[in-house]
Structures are given as structure tokens and as C-alpha cells.
Amino acid sequence: MQRISKISGALSGSYLQLCRRSLSRLPQTQPALVDDDAVLPKMPPFDYSPPPYTGPSAAEILKKRQEYLSPSLFHFYSNPLNSVDGKMQYLFDENGRRYLDAFGGIATVCCGHCHPDVVEAIVSQTQRLQHSTVLYLNHAIAEFAEALASKMPGDLKVVFFTNSGTEANELAMMIARLYTGCHDIISLRNAYHGNAAATMSATAQCNYKFNVVQTGVHHALNPDQYRGVFGSDGLKYAKDVQDLIDYGTCGNVAGFLAEAIQGVGGILELAPGYLPAVYGTIKKAGGLCIADEVQSGFARTGSHFWGFEAHGVVPDIVTMAKGIGNGVPIGAVVTTPEIAKVLTYRTYFNTFGGNPVSTASGLAVLRVIEKEKLQENAHVVGSYLKDRLTSLKEKHESIFPFPNFFFFLDVKSENI
């Protein structure tokens, strides 16, 4: 039997958009999340049962959400899941019913809910020192930075810790602008990089962009092998980046920001040959290349630890979050010593970035990935899933052939 923990929301980004657009159109008589009369697939054995839940019901929680939380918060299903317990690849609702978690907290829980090694690291550090400041010394941040740098190619060895992927991408864009002295940044259509000022500019999906001032970002043609105008010809898409530089800037740029595999955009792997060509173009224009690894990093592609490695490129700056802490709020920016110096020209400070609990969690996650060979597991399970899905094309004419369809996997071994 294949050993798999959970397939992390392979279409999570597109599904989020679809659900958000559709919520207002749902009829009031939508069925419950789980119909007790429905025939459910049999779940495999699992050696954990959650303790009885004694908290408020889903209805009570929903009422409080509607009264006290932002109306921008939406939920899946007309009768939303009240997840009260989690263990490895499973979630449990208020009635103790078990669910295989295919969403992973939006591609975040990379080595299983409440993994004992990660929990132990968090509890141990919390009992010793929950928060201080990076202005004092603490071993947790230094040890995690060293471990993280060891996973990077080239001279990428200086780490700045943040609290999220949005923060990481904001910082990376600012570093690129400071280092180059230019303001213009190129990102891709269909990209998602965050929801703050600069990252919203870099994002190129209308659902995630408010009508506020957004400047200094140019969006290139998306090298989409599935629906793109040039199919899988990465070099033809790359020419658009040169055109943007020639006709939309002064001839020099601050940088290029892209995911190797677009997450929110629908899990789309960039066309072969695209990133090497674009990186060369950006370098000639004096810019830095930024790899957004928030969703594709930390061994999730199986073949490589970082998504950009599959394209044979080495970025100047790498950003990451989500899987870095297995659910703990932490992000990071990694760059070279030379580029990192630009933040010494003024005072750069982040109150919670690199706090002891988050960095202890991050180090534990790295160790679990290595100890349990989760990258290898992602490759084995992902390949199996991809092959089975690809085989469906032979049965269903409506499935359009896609040469490099890719799933992200968050894996914690378990028999199914």
C-alpha cells in the first residue's frame, strides 16, 4: 500500500476564489457538510481518538463569528466544519468524526497536525522563554537560521525572520528596491504574493486586489502551459519580460518576483526554460531575482526541496512561510550577505519575527522532514497520484491534456 498522510489542497487557491464568488449564490437549503444517510468511504484504521469535546457547538461559534469578527471572513459549506482536534493527516469535528485533511490549513501543515516532535519543541521553548527580543541573544533563532541556510544553494545564507508570507514578500521587494536603486518590479499575471501594499501590487488576480494605490509593478504574460498562448514554450513567454523592460521602464528594474509553481493561481508549474531566460534578462537590467517559495518550498514538490531548483536557477532572494512552521506564524527572507547589508543603512526591526517559540517550531519541522524522509515520500505519493489522475484522461474526453500538471503534497506517513 502507498503511505500517505494528506494531499494539501491541490486546487486550494482556485477553490478559494470559486467558493468566495459562489457563497452569495448558494440557496438556503444547501445540504449539510456530511449527510448522515450518505454512503461514506471507509476510513483506514488510526490509533488515535480525540478526547470528548465540551466546547460550544458549531452553531454557537458561527453566531459569534458573525457578530464579532470581520464580515470579510467566509467559510466553506452552508453547515461549516467545526474542527476541534487534529492528529497527523486527520481532523476531528465536535462529534468525533474523522476527516482526511486535504487542505492542510491552506497548504501550511507540512508534517502533520500536532506532530509530537513539533509540539514538544513548542511546549519546551514556551515553558522556558516565550518571547523576548532579537535585541538579546537566544539560541533558537540562531540555530534555525543556520539550519535554514544549510538548505540553500550558493551564497544564500543570511536570514530575516517575519511572521507571514506577505511580510516576507514585502521585505524582499523593499530590499530589491533599496539594493538596486530602482523602483520597478516585474511579476506574473495570475500571481499571488500577499495582501499588503507592495504585495497587493505584485499580485495579479482581481479577487485579491482592492481599489487602492498600487504602483511600480508590471505584470508579464503568465507562462501557463495549460491555457497560455504559447503552450509550453517558455522562451516565447520570456520575451514579454524584455518587452516590459524596454517599453514600460527606464531600462533598469529592481527585480523579478515569481513562484516556481503558482499556488493560489491554481497549482500551475511555469513553462520549461522560462525562469532561466527571465533571470538572465533581469540580471542584464540590473535587477534581483526573487523566488516566492511560500507554497512550493519545504520539500513539497518531492523532486526538490525548493520549487526554483527544478528550473536550474539560483535566486538572489528567497521568501518562505506556511510550511516553515507547520502552522506556527513564521516567515523568512533569505539572501546573500552583500544584499543583506542594505537594511543596515537605517533601522530595520520586527518585534515578533524570529521569536523563540516560532523558530524552535521551525527547526523541529526541518528535522522532521529530514528524519522521516518526507521529501521522498512526497515524490513517491505525488507521482502515484499524478499517474492515477493522468490515467483518467483515457476515460474522459473532457479532461484536457496538461504536460506538467503538478500537485503539492504535505506528507506524514500513514497506511491507507
Side-chain angles (χ1 to χ4, degrees):
M1 296 291 287
Q2 297 291 334
R3 295 175 67 82
I4 180 173
S5 79
K6 48 189 204 49
I7 304 157
S8 170
L11 299 177
S12 59
S14 299
Y15 190 50
L16 275 171
Q17 297 179 42
L18 177 62
C19 289
R20 195 178 189 98
R21 288 196 299 266
S22 303
L23 280 175
S24 61
R25 296 195 290 269
L26 287 175
Q28 296 299 312
T29 57
Q30 283 291 305
L33 172 61
V34 176
D35 183 349
D36 289 331
D37 296 328
V39 178
L40 299 175
K42 185 178 180 180
M43 297 286 275
F46 190 60
D47 59 355
Y48 173 80
S49 295
Y53 175 69
T54 58
S57 67
E60 292 172 310
I61 295 171
L62 184 59
K63 182 178 179 181
K64 288 182 179 180
R65 275 177 57 121
Q66 293 170 340
E67 185 173 356
Y68 298 112
L69 293 178
S70 168
S72 66
L73 295 180
F74 65 101
H75 56 77
F76 289 160
Y77 317 111
S78 56
N79 292 332
L81 172 66
N82 180 21
S83 55
V84 302
D85 211 301
K87 192 68 172 179
M88 306 316 290
Q89 69 269 35
Y90 294 114
L91 288 173
F92 298 84
D93 67 15
E94 60 189 76
N95 299 313
R97 172 167 274 163
R98 178 161 51 110
Y99 302 83
L100 179 64
D101 184 6
F103 204 30
I106 311 183
T108 297
V109 182
C110 73
C111 53
H113 291 285
C114 302
H115 190 289
D117 292 5
V118 179
V119 171
E120 181 182 0
I122 293 171
V123 172
S124 177
Q125 182 59 57
T126 302
Q127 290 176 334
R128 189 72 182 260
L129 178 66
Q130 181 179 353
H131 177 73
S132 177
T133 169
V134 292
L135 301 178
Y136 303 148
L137 300 183
N138 185 270
H139 71 94
I141 185 173
E143 290 176 358
F144 185 37
E146 179 184 29
L148 204 53
S150 73
K151 305 297 291 186
M152 290 290 170
D155 204 26
L156 293 165
K157 60 178 63 173
V158 179
V159 184
F160 299 89
F161 286 110
T162 66
N163 302 290
S164 68
T166 290
E167 276 192 11
N169 284 329
E170 286 276 328
L171 178 58
M173 293 174 70
M174 184 177 74
I175 289 174
R177 284 167 168 162
L178 291 173
Y179 183 79
T180 62
C182 294
H183 186 68
D184 290 293
I185 286 177
I186 296 174
S187 68
L188 296 177
R189 297 179 187 178
N190 196 51
Y192 179 85
H193 297 291
N195 56 12
T199 49
M200 189 179 293
S201 298
T203 293
Q205 296 184 37
C206 64
N207 289 339
Y208 295 97
K209 294 171 76 73
F210 286 94
N211 186 24
V212 296
V213 175
Q214 300 170 47
T215 63
V217 176
H218 308 266
H219 299 105
L221 280 176
N222 185 31
D224 179 353
Q225 302 177 72
Y226 188 59
R227 297 183 179 87
V229 292
F230 300 124
S232 297
D233 193 333
L235 296 181
K236 288 184 178 179
Y237 291 107
K239 186 179 182 301
D240 186 54
V241 174
Q242 185 63 62
D243 289 345
L244 283 175
I245 295 172
D246 292 340
Y247 302 110
T249 75
C250 66
N252 294 99
V253 296
F256 172 78
L257 171 63
E259 309 158 90
I261 302 174
Q262 292 181 334
V264 174
I267 315 302
L268 297 177
E269 186 180 10
L270 306 187
Y274 178 78
L275 279 186
V278 170
Y279 273 34
T281 298
I282 295 298
K283 291 293 187 182
K284 291 177 182 177
L288 300 181
C289 299
I290 306 170
D292 181 341
E293 292 286 329
V294 170
Q295 293 205 39
S296 58
F298 289 89
R300 300 184 66 212
T301 66
S303 59
H304 299 83
F305 199 85
W306 307 107
F308 65 80
E309 292 178 306
H311 294 263
V313 297
V314 178
D316 300 294
I317 303 173
V318 180
T319 64
M320 61 199 71
K322 290 187 179 289
I324 187 175
N326 204 52
V328 170
I330 182 172
V333 177
V334 184
T335 189
T336 68
E338 178 189 353
I339 295 171
K341 289 179 182 178
V342 297
L343 290 186
T344 66
Y345 303 156
R346 293 291 188 273
T347 300
Y348 172 76
F349 184 75
N350 190 314
T351 300
F352 299 107
N355 73 80
V357 175
S358 293
T359 49
S361 173
L363 182 58
V365 168
L366 270 186
R367 289 172 174 170
V368 168
I369 291 174
E370 294 173 355
K371 181 178 72 172
E372 301 186 3
K373 298 181 179 180
L374 298 188
Q375 180 174 338
E376 178 184 345
N377 196 34
H379 180 69
V380 171
V381 175
S383 299
Y384 173 78
L385 175 63
K386 180 181 176 181
D387 290 345
R388 293 298 301 273
L389 290 171
T390 301
S391 69
L392 294 176
K393 292 188 299 185
E394 301 173 2
K395 299 180 180 179
H396 306 283
E397 295 181 357
S398 60
I399 299 178
F400 189 80
F402 185 22
N404 287 292
F405 192 72
F406 222 107
F407 275 88
F408 287 159
L409 296 181
D410 286 343
V411 288
K412 175 65 188 85
S413 296
E414 185 65 32
N415 283 321
I416 64 169

